[in-house]
């Protein structure tokens, strides 16, 4: 028997609009993501991906529309929702003068993890970072920093993970390991993942479904291979290039 | 307000202070230089006929108290700037941490910081010049409390301005408190101000504290009126500072500025 909590979408966005003055950034976007689903948010620069991610995280107030996580309205349940969600981006960092273990310990406490030291060790081992635990964050390579940021994003065992280009600074081997970690999270923890990436092969390999954005609107959605075929393109990359240049599917 | 989140943020900064030379200097080095400079200056001034009686006590007492205000403000502003410099602000505000918890943590940090600085400056003033800061007596407690609260208000306003206008407004973290110094009657009485400025100076809570300190040192009794004014003004200014911070935070969320604070 399926419980109600499993049928409620992990994320539900309805009629989301964001304008900066008269300039529209997102124009009436609606979508829902099931629990355990991995969804790619695609689109050229300025399509509205970051705006949607920041709205989901509450760092940006929408002009109108609603965002719900686990059936709860974000506006009235920010703290309870964010305790079950986490985020990682290539474009944010962690305090440089702290060790990896200290940084993760701080975030474990911020998220109210019950045994921070144990959880930090678990996450370090899961991401193959145990050898770096007592190194200063500033002494890591950019690829290692990215993996530590991902470790931060796993610290509260999130039900929803929002990732902004999680493999952008990684070499192919590390990027592959990160993708395997994400697939493992969905398999073991039924984690819901919403990911942005400019690497179309990665999206094809990782995502069950993609939402294709252009000029603040979802212009197509579906399984990656299927939507490429639907529009007569060989793969997602060809479709992406055509949409970015012509602005249509 | 969740205590574990406030303490997590405090811990993050204590780790930093443990190993950052720049932060160590900020707490110990600059206060040490201040005490040396002003201490020797007052000793020199004492040699002149007609020197102000008890000049060492007045000036060193004022310097230590001013440093409490300044470190209190810096505790808030610099803790915020540390997050901007390390591009960690977004990580914090996508966690369940609230803006109120963030401010509470910076207040705790400012108390820790100013306590360390005060211990150093008070000990040095005693060791080098035989000046006993605690001779001010019981009035010291409300004096210090008022200066801390004024420092918090300035720190909160500074933080809001940097949030709103980004790192180009960073200079406010070092400069804004000094804007108040000439009008706070730190080293001279309010009576030296020209008319107009004199009346305005009474709206700076620190003026009441420093006037009160001088009246205690001159044996004129407990400055109840000064402290009542300072307390009332501080309560009003802290509320205004918090209201400004929250309204700025709302604007920052509306305009998506949190991502751009470090630019």
């Amino acid at each position: 028997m399926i419980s109600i909590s499993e049928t409620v979408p992990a994320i539900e966005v309805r009629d989301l609009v964001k304008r900066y003055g008269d300039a529209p950034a997102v124009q009436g976007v609606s979508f829902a993501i099931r629990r355990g689903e991995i969804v790619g948010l695609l689109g050229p620069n300025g399509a509205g991906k970051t705006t949607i991610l920041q709205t989901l995280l509450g760092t940006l107030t929408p002009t109108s529309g609603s965002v719900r996580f686990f059936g709860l309205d974000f506006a009235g349940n920010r703290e309870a929702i964010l305790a079950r969600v986490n985020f990682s981006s290539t474009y944010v960092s962690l305090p440089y003068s702290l060790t990896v273990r200290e940084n993760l310990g701080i975030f474990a406490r911020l998220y109210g993890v019950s045994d921070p030291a144990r959880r930090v060790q678990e996450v370090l081992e899961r991401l193959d970072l145990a050898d770096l635990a007592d190194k200063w964050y500033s002494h890591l390579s950019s690829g290692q920093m990215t993996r530590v940021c991902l470790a931060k994003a796993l610290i509260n065992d999130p039900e929803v993970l929002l990732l902004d280009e999680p493999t952008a600074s990684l070499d192919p081997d590390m990027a592959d390991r990160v993708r395997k970690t994400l697939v493992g999270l969905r398999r073991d923890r039924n984690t819901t993942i919403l990911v942005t990436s400019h690497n179309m092969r990665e999206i094809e390999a990782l995502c069950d479904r993609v939402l294709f954005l252009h000029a603040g609107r979802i212009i197509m959605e579906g399984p990656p291979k299927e939507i490429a075929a639907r529009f007569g393109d060989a793969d997602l990359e060809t479709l992406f290039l055509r949409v970015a240049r012509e602005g249509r599917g | 307000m969740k205590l574990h989140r406030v303490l997590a943020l405090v811990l993050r900064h204590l780790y930093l202070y443990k190993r950052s030379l720049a932060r160590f200097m900020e707490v110990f080095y600059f206060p040490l230089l201040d005490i040396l400079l002003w201490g020797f200056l007052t000793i020199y001034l004492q040699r002149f006929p007609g020197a102000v009686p008890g000049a060492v006590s007045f000036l060193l007492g004022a310097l230590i108290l001013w440093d409490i205000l300044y470190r209190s403000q810096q505790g808030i502003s610099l803790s915020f700037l540390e997050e901007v410099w390390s591009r960690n602000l977004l990580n914090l505000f996508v966690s369940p941490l609230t803006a109120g918890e963030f401010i509470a943590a910076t207040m705790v940090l400012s108390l820790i910081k100013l306590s360390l600085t005060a211990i150093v400056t008070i000990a040095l003033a005693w060791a080098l010049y035989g000046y006993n800061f605690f001779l001010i007596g019981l009035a010291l407690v409300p004096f210090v409390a008022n200066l801390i609260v004024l420092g918090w208000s300035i720190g909160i306003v500074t933080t809001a301005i940097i949030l709103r206008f980004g790192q180009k407004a960073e200079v406010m973290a070092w400069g804004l408190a000094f804007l108040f110094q000439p009008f706070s009657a730190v080293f001279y009485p309010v009576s030296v101000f020209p008319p107009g400025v004199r009346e305005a100076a009474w709206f700076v809570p620190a003026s009441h504290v420093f006037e009160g300190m001088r009246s205690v040192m001159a044996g004129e009794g407990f400055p109840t009126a000064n402290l009542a004014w300072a307390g009332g003004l501080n309560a009003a200014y802290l509320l205004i500072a918090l209201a400004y911070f929250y309204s700025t935070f709302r604007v920052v969320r509306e305009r998506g500025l949190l991502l751009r604070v470090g630019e």
Side-chain angles (χ1 to χ4, degrees), chain B residues 218-242:
Chain B
E220 292 164 9
F222 194 86
T224 310
N226 285 120
L227 285 170
W229 269 103
L233 288 169
N234 263 326
Y237 292 163
L238 184 61
L239 286 175
I240 292 167
L242 285 169

Side-chain angles (χ1 to χ4, degrees), chain A residues 24-247:
Chain A
V26 172
Q27 308 185 65
V29 164
S30 297
F31 62 88
I33 301 178
R34 294 188 309 275
R35 284 168 195 252
E37 199 177 13
I38 303 182
V39 174
L41 196 57
L42 305 185
N45 293 334
K49 304 183 296 291
T50 303
T51 301
I52 290 175
L53 276 186
Q54 293 308 313
T55 307
L56 291 176
L57 290 160
T59 53
L60 188 62
T61 313
T63 305
S64 64
S66 70
V67 172
R68 297 174 83 81
F69 281 83
F70 325 112
L72 301 168
D73 180 45
F74 188 91
N77 299 277
R78 177 189 171 272
E79 287 170 54
I81 287 170
L82 288 180
R84 299 164 68 183
V85 173
N86 214 316
F87 166 74
S88 178
S89 166
T90 308
Y91 308 107
V92 293
S93 189
L94 290 167
Y96 293 104
S97 305
L98 270 61
T99 66
V100 170
R101 191 188 300 281
E102 287 167 349
N103 265 311
L104 296 179
I106 298 297
F107 280 93
R109 288 171 178 85
L110 273 177
Y111 280 90
V113 171
S114 57
D115 185 348
R118 190 177 57 82
R119 181 62 188 158
V120 167
Q121 194 57 37
E122 279 172 11
V123 169
L124 286 170
E125 284 166 14
R126 174 152 212 155
L127 286 170
D128 249 344
L129 290 166
D131 290 348
L132 304 176
D134 298 311
K135 275 196 167 186
W136 284 25
Y137 184 76
S138 59
H139 291 176
L140 304 181
S141 68
S142 63
Q144 289 168 334
M145 285 179 176
T146 302
R147 284 161 60 215
V148 173
C149 285
L150 186 61
K152 186 281 298 181
L154 302 185
I155 203 71
N156 58 329
D157 193 11
E159 292 167 60
V160 171
L161 199 48
L162 304 173
L163 303 172
D164 190 8
E165 302 197 39
T167 60
S169 63
L170 300 179
D171 64 44
D173 174 46
M174 268 313 151
D176 184 57
R177 286 202 217 184
V178 167
R179 284 193 289 274
K180 287 193 167 103
T181 302
L182 298 178
V183 171
L185 276 173
R186 185 256 289 274
R187 183 189 58 230
D188 303 339
R189 312 291 303 157
N190 200 34
T191 309
T192 307
I193 301 171
L194 179 63
V195 57
T196 74
S197 176
H198 286 125
N199 181 342
M200 295 301 118
R201 288 190 181 172
E202 174 169 280
I203 292 291
E204 282 176 341
L206 193 62
C207 297
D208 305 311
R209 190 160 59 99
V210 295
L211 305 171
F212 222 119
L213 286 166
H214 186 78
R217 296 180 200 277
I218 295 177
I219 56 169
M220 59 185 99
E221 72 173 284
K225 288 260 168 31
E226 202 180 293
I227 60 166
R230 199 189 306 160
F231 290 93
D233 289 303
D235 53 30
L236 208 51
E237 182 141 348
T238 315
L239 176 64
F240 183 96
L241 290 173
R242 199 157 56 76
V243 171
R245 288 166 189 172
E246 298 169 16

Side-chain angles (χ1 to χ4, degrees), chain A residues 18 78-79 93 97 102, chain B residues 4-5 19 91 97 254:
Chain A
K18 180 65 192 177
R78 177 189 171 272
E79 287 170 54
S93 189
S97 305
E102 287 167 349
Chain B
H4 68 86
R5 296 201 286 253
R19 57 176 71 114
N91 281 326
L97 183 79
E254 278 165 10

Side-chain angles (χ1 to χ4, degrees), chain A residues 18 20 25 48-61 87-93 164, chain B residues 80 83-94 162-167 249 251-263:
Chain A
K18 180 65 192 177
Y20 296 105
K49 304 183 296 291
T50 303
T51 301
I52 290 175
L53 276 186
Q54 293 308 313
T55 307
L56 291 176
L57 290 160
T59 53
L60 188 62
T61 313
F87 166 74
S88 178
S89 166
T90 308
Y91 308 107
V92 293
S93 189
D164 190 8
Chain B
F80 171 74
E83 306 301 356
V84 175
W85 293 329
S86 58
R87 294 194 296 140
N88 188 41
L89 208 56
L90 201 63
N91 281 326
L92 295 179
F93 286 112
V94 301
I162 299 170
L163 250 180
R164 173 67 185 80
F165 297 103
Q167 254 180 304
F249 204 74
V251 171
V252 163
R253 276 190 169 144
E254 278 165 10
R255 298 188 188 183
L257 299 176
L258 212 50
L259 267 179
R260 299 182 209 156
V261 175
E263 291 174 1

Side-chain angles (χ1 to χ4, degrees), chain B residues 68-263:
Chain B
I68 285 172
L69 185 157
Y70 185 58
R71 299 298 150 192
S72 162
Q73 177 258 319
Q74 292 258 293
I76 293 194
S77 311
L78 288 191
S79 303
F80 171 74
L81 276 173
E82 290 288 356
E83 306 301 356
V84 175
W85 293 329
S86 58
R87 294 194 296 140
N88 188 41
L89 208 56
L90 201 63
N91 281 326
L92 295 179
F93 286 112
V94 301
S95 82
L97 183 79
T98 64
E101 287 162 354
F102 181 86
I103 289 294
T106 61
M107 285 174 167
V108 173
L109 283 162
S110 88
L111 286 177
I112 294 170
K113 196 175 196 172
L114 71 88
S115 301
L116 290 172
T117 305
I119 289 168
V120 172
T121 50
I122 290 167
L124 280 172
W126 179 77
L128 297 175
Y129 313 109
Y131 170 64
N132 181 0
F133 181 66
F134 297 104
L135 280 178
I136 296 174
L138 268 184
L140 204 54
V141 176
F143 284 161
V144 168
N146 271 295
L147 292 173
I148 290 172
V149 175
L150 180 59
W152 284 349
S153 299
I154 300 171
I156 291 167
V157 169
T158 308
T159 299
I161 292 171
I162 299 170
L163 250 180
R164 173 67 185 80
F165 297 103
Q167 254 180 304
K168 57 182 178 285
E170 192 178 300
V171 67
M172 301 296 277
W174 284 272
L176 193 60
F178 284 108
L179 185 67
F180 288 83
Q181 196 182 33
F183 311 104
S184 295
V186 183
F187 300 111
Y188 38 77
V190 170
S191 59
V192 304
F193 291 130
V197 177
R198 193 181 306 154
E199 287 73 22
W202 287 122
F203 286 94
V204 181
S207 298
H208 294 278
V209 171
F210 289 106
E211 283 289 302
M213 179 201 77
R214 278 185 287 271
S215 76
V216 169
M217 285 179 162
E220 292 164 9
F222 194 86
T224 310
N226 285 120
L227 285 170
W229 269 103
L233 288 169
N234 263 326
Y237 292 163
L238 184 61
L239 286 175
I240 292 167
L242 285 169
Y244 177 62
F245 177 81
Y246 279 107
S247 102
T248 302
F249 204 74
R250 195 174 55 246
V251 171
V252 163
R253 276 190 169 144
E254 278 165 10
R255 298 188 188 183
L257 299 176
L258 212 50
L259 267 179
R260 299 182 209 156
V261 175
E263 291 174 1

